[in-house]
Amino acid sequence: MASPINSKSAREKLKPRREPYWSRIQTGLYVGYRKPEEGDGTWIARRRADDGKQQYHALGTFADYDQAVKAATQWANALDAGVSAKGMTVKQACKHYVSHLSLHKGKASASDAEGRFRRLVDDAPLGRIDLAKLRTSDLTAWLSKQVELDEDDAEDEEDLRRAKDSANRNLASLKAALNLAMKDRLVATDAGWKTVSKFRDVGRRRNAFLPLHQRTALVEACPEDLQRLVKAMLLTAARPGELANANAQHFDRDQGTLALEGKTGYRVVTLSTAAMAFFDECAKNKIGNAPILATDFGQRWNKDMWKKPFREAAKTAKLPTTAVLYSLRHTAISEMIADGMDSFIVAKLAGTSTAMIDEHYGHLRHDKTRARLDAVALL
């Protein structure tokens, strides 16, 4: 006997009701069609478990009967393979992964992943999606949203590159969580995320290095207040935001140090003799919480204030179009490494890791070492 739901015309003749119209696929396995008062109908699968209890699974909407049968069969086969019959959301999969990390990798790894998921998954629409219904487009949209920077809010290519690099790390953590869910048979397939690719060429070595003649031209092209910020970056290799946050009280004349606080926390950096003289001049007639570097109007610097003046100065100095304020930090680190400073010391001064120094500036150390090797008669 023909099923009342195996053709579109047959389904259209059905009376709307909450209870699905069922069609047997094979022994113990059925696919059902729920006819609503209006709109598209939905499909559901049903099977009898080994313990005799009925198991149900919402399949969603399909254009035809055969697609619903295929989905129901895949669900049943996944259960036979050991996949959990209970649905799991992306958020729950992330919690499952954090527990796994805590047990096998330690608290630090678990805390890092937990923080990413709390910021980007837990309260996002993505977090509420059932793993079995997760689509590639859901994950792609989630990834793209992380780099939706307004052009005026990004430090040109450098900000966008860093945003993409960060998004790649977030994607790696999420895919690790989803892959663990599949490994632990909490979902039948990885089709929803397997083909989602990370952003390419965003972890590459920085290339906006400014040689001495360009640095000199830039300083001369800057208005006096921006000139002080530019010089401070070149003398310390600090991030611009860290210098903008620094107060007069953070400069210790006796010790020759400057306390900075930013994305990597609080640190006290040693200043060169030239830097000590520079900050001593900047701190004149300033006390307490007064910004040690300020605009001509006495305001604390921020990205919106330095962006346009820097672009104009860079254009006047005929710098490469890739040059941004952050390029000065890269330039200072490059010069320190090229001059033979130990990467551990440079990392402490710049507020970064030795791994980052070796990854992005190691080539400079090799060049320096090669020059020294060339001076040694080995053969």
Side-chain angles (χ1 to χ4, degrees):
M1 179 178 176
S3 165
I5 62 174
N6 64 356
S7 70
K8 183 177 181 180
S9 59
R11 293 193 297 274
E12 288 177 346
K13 296 176 182 178
L14 297 174
K15 292 182 178 180
R17 71 181 195 187
R18 175 65 182 170
E19 173 62 24
Y21 291 90
W22 295 101
S23 173
R24 194 179 77 156
I25 300 174
Q26 60 191 48
T27 302
L29 179 63
Y30 295 79
V31 64
Y33 178 76
R34 184 174 285 126
K35 179 71 178 288
E37 291 287 345
E38 57 182 31
D40 296 330
T42 57
W43 298 85
I44 187 169
R46 185 188 83 199
R47 69 168 239 164
R48 187 176 298 280
D50 293 337
D51 59 5
K53 294 181 179 180
Q54 293 287 354
Q55 296 174 317
Y56 295 86
H57 180 66
L59 301 174
T61 58
F62 291 99
D64 58 54
Y65 174 78
D66 290 339
Q67 289 179 326
V69 168
K70 182 179 179 181
T73 303
Q74 288 178 336
W75 169 70
N77 290 341
L79 293 183
D80 290 337
V83 174
S84 172
K86 298 179 180 179
M88 171 175 274
T89 64
V90 173
K91 178 179 178 179
Q92 291 170 328
C94 290
K95 289 188 67 176
H96 176 70
Y97 178 63
V98 169
S99 297
H100 170 84
L101 286 180
S102 183
L103 183 62
H104 297 282
K105 298 291 185 179
K107 290 184 177 180
S109 295
S111 179
D112 178 73
E114 186 177 30
R116 293 178 192 272
F117 299 148
R118 187 187 307 114
R119 295 192 309 272
L120 300 166
V121 175
D122 289 1
D123 296 324
L126 179 74
R128 298 189 291 273
I129 298 176
D130 190 288
L131 291 185
K133 298 179 181 179
L134 183 64
R135 297 173 298 179
T136 299
S137 58
D138 295 322
L139 208 55
T140 301
W142 173 83
L143 183 66
S144 298
K145 188 173 179 61
Q146 296 177 55
V147 294
E148 287 179 353
L149 296 173
D150 186 276
E151 186 175 347
D152 290 332
D153 289 336
E155 285 187 16
D156 301 316
E157 294 182 1
E158 177 61 18
D159 254 9
L160 186 58
R161 184 203 66 76
R162 283 186 286 143
K164 288 182 176 180
D165 194 27
S166 177
N168 282 348
R169 291 193 294 272
N170 296 331
L171 176 64
S173 291
L174 180 57
K175 290 183 78 170
L178 300 176
N179 287 335
L180 178 66
M182 182 175 172
K183 179 183 176 183
D184 290 349
R185 298 188 179 280
L186 300 172
V187 65
T189 176
D190 60 357
W193 65 87
K194 184 177 182 179
T195 59
V196 178
S197 301
K198 65 181 182 180
F199 294 108
R200 302 292 181 185
D201 302 321
V202 296
R204 65 185 183 277
R205 183 185 302 156
R206 278 75 165 165
N207 54 16
F209 173 82
L210 303 180
L212 182 58
H213 72 279
Q214 289 183 341
R215 302 196 297 264
T216 301
L218 174 63
V219 169
E220 292 176 350
C222 287
E224 188 175 346
D225 53 355
L226 182 61
Q227 188 180 97
R228 289 191 292 269
L229 181 60
V230 166
K231 286 183 178 180
M233 289 193 65
L234 290 171
L235 288 169
T236 62
R239 299 175 181 86
E242 294 172 335
L243 291 168
N245 290 335
N247 298 329
Q249 64 184 3
H250 295 142
F251 172 55
D252 189 325
R253 290 178 175 82
D254 295 331
Q255 296 296 322
T257 61
L258 181 67
L260 297 171
E261 187 160 14
K263 61 181 288 186
T264 56
Y266 176 85
R267 70 183 186 279
V268 176
V269 300
T270 303
L271 299 174
S272 66
T273 302
M276 288 172 59
F278 169 78
F279 282 107
D280 189 48
E281 184 66 26
C282 290
K284 267 186 181 178
N285 302 319
K286 295 179 180 179
I287 59 173
N289 293 326
I292 196 167
L293 297 168
T295 69
D296 281 341
F297 299 100
Q299 297 172 299
R300 193 178 297 276
W301 282 104
N302 61 47
K303 189 180 295 185
D304 292 330
M305 291 180 178
W306 72 58
K307 185 176 294 295
K308 185 177 179 181
F310 182 86
R311 283 179 177 173
E312 292 175 350
K315 185 177 181 179
T316 301
K318 298 180 180 180
L319 300 188
T321 56
T322 55
V324 293
L325 190 61
Y326 206 88
S327 302
L328 302 176
R329 169 176 163 84
H330 164 64
T331 298
I333 294 175
S334 298
E335 291 286 29
M336 291 176 184
I337 293 295
D339 204 44
M341 284 183 66
D342 184 85
S343 59
F344 177 76
I345 295 175
V346 176
K348 285 191 66 177
L349 292 173
T352 189
S353 66
T354 53
M356 192 284 294
I357 293 291
D358 290 339
E359 179 182 356
H360 297 293
Y361 303 93
H363 64 294
L364 299 173
R365 295 181 52 125
H366 295 318
D367 292 347
K368 198 76 174 181
T369 302
R370 186 175 296 108
R372 291 172 179 170
L373 283 170
D374 291 345
V376 180
L378 297 174
L379 288 176

